[in-house]
Amino acid sequence: MTSLSADDAKRGEMYAANAQRAAAEKKFASYEEFLESLEMRAVIADFDPVHIPRITQLTNKSNQFNLTTKRYTQSEMEAAAASAEKIRLCGRLADKFGDNGIVSVVIGEKRGKSLHIELWLMSCRVLKRGMEYAMLNRLVEEAAKAGVEEIFGYYYPTKKNAMVKELYGDFGFAKLSESENGDSVWKLDVTGYKPKTVYIEITEELNNG
């Protein structure tokens, strides 16, 4: 089987799993009950060298749920992965219907006691599952461990990413500024952050794939 046909097969499996999820959702009175029924599991961890190609690919094809739409070559991503000044997270999400693979990437740069988010993206195929809140919970946790007291988020509008215009506000960040072209800057105080409720079990191992 060629690589292309293998990718097509995997994509077909994901489409089939999404159809099963959509059918399952109709059986529950509330969306929260549906989320609980999915038995979601996620691994949220620093970048692993094995997954750098997939992480790089995701940064270059994610357009809608992408706050800065910053693009990386693989060598640039490898440099980011090796930098002591960065906090990096990649998230992989699975549930009882299947494994979605790596679906979210966050990169922030430490500057003193501040963290500046350079990249925040998520695959649209896992929208409305709460993965963005799970990523935020872990980011704040890692930032606190690194002595970070405030996190700055940046939104740069494109023709495709309007869906995340107010994401930082939803996260609990305060808007500091917004320019005429729609660029905005947000800030979150790490101290006193209350973790968001998620219906995802966070586990420790990220298997290859």
Side-chain angles (χ1 to χ4, degrees):
M1 182 177 283
T2 66
S3 174
L4 182 61
S5 59
D7 287 346
D8 287 342
K10 189 171 184 180
R11 190 176 297 112
E13 290 172 7
M14 287 184 175
Y15 286 143
N18 274 336
Q20 289 178 298
R21 292 182 189 102
E25 180 183 345
K26 298 174 183 177
K27 300 177 182 178
F28 293 91
S30 75
Y31 195 71
E32 289 74 18
E33 289 177 331
F34 164 65
L35 291 178
E36 287 183 346
S37 79
L38 289 176
E39 300 172 14
M40 290 184 287
R41 306 172 308 284
V43 176
I44 301 174
D46 197 354
F47 295 0
D48 183 309
V50 171
H51 297 96
I52 292 293
R54 168 58 181 161
I55 291 167
T56 304
Q57 178 192 51
L58 200 57
T59 66
N60 285 292
K61 72 176 190 178
S62 297
N63 296 303
Q64 292 177 289
F65 198 111
N66 192 334
L67 287 131
T68 61
T69 320
K70 181 176 171 63
R71 308 302 192 186
Y72 291 76
T73 63
Q74 185 159 321
S75 60
E76 288 171 337
M77 191 59 75
E78 289 168 351
S83 173
E85 302 307 311
K86 309 284 189 186
I87 292 179
R88 303 158 296 268
L89 294 174
C90 66
R92 178 172 179 171
L93 182 66
D95 64 21
K96 67 182 182 182
F97 293 111
D99 186 349
N100 289 283
I102 293 172
V103 295
S104 187
V105 179
V106 178
I107 300 175
E109 181 177 75
K110 291 179 285 184
R111 301 177 199 164
K113 294 187 176 182
S114 298
L115 182 73
H116 296 261
I117 298 173
E118 300 176 346
L119 181 72
W120 193 309
L121 61 84
M122 190 174 74
S123 169
C124 287
R125 69 172 178 263
V126 296
L127 286 177
K128 299 181 179 179
R129 311 269 183 84
M131 187 64 177
E132 64 270 41
Y133 301 122
M135 294 291 289
L136 176 65
N137 288 345
R138 178 57 64 88
L139 180 67
V140 174
E141 182 182 327
E142 293 301 319
K145 288 180 187 176
V148 168
E149 296 179 356
E150 51 191 12
I151 300 174
F152 290 88
Y154 302 87
Y155 168 70
Y156 304 132
T158 69
K159 291 180 180 179
K160 296 184 177 180
N161 73 352
M163 69 182 300
V164 291
K165 180 179 180 179
E166 298 297 330
L167 182 70
Y168 284 123
D170 179 50
F171 280 170
F173 283 61
K175 186 189 288 187
L176 300 182
S177 66
E178 183 171 355
S179 66
E180 288 186 7
N181 70 355
D183 290 356
S184 55
V185 182
W186 305 73
K187 185 178 83 167
L188 179 74
D189 291 323
V190 171
T191 304
Y193 172 78
K194 295 180 180 179
K196 304 294 185 184
T197 299
V198 295
Y199 298 90
I200 302 171
E201 177 190 355
I202 308 301
T203 60
E204 295 300 320
E205 292 188 12
L206 184 64
N207 297 321
N208 293 346

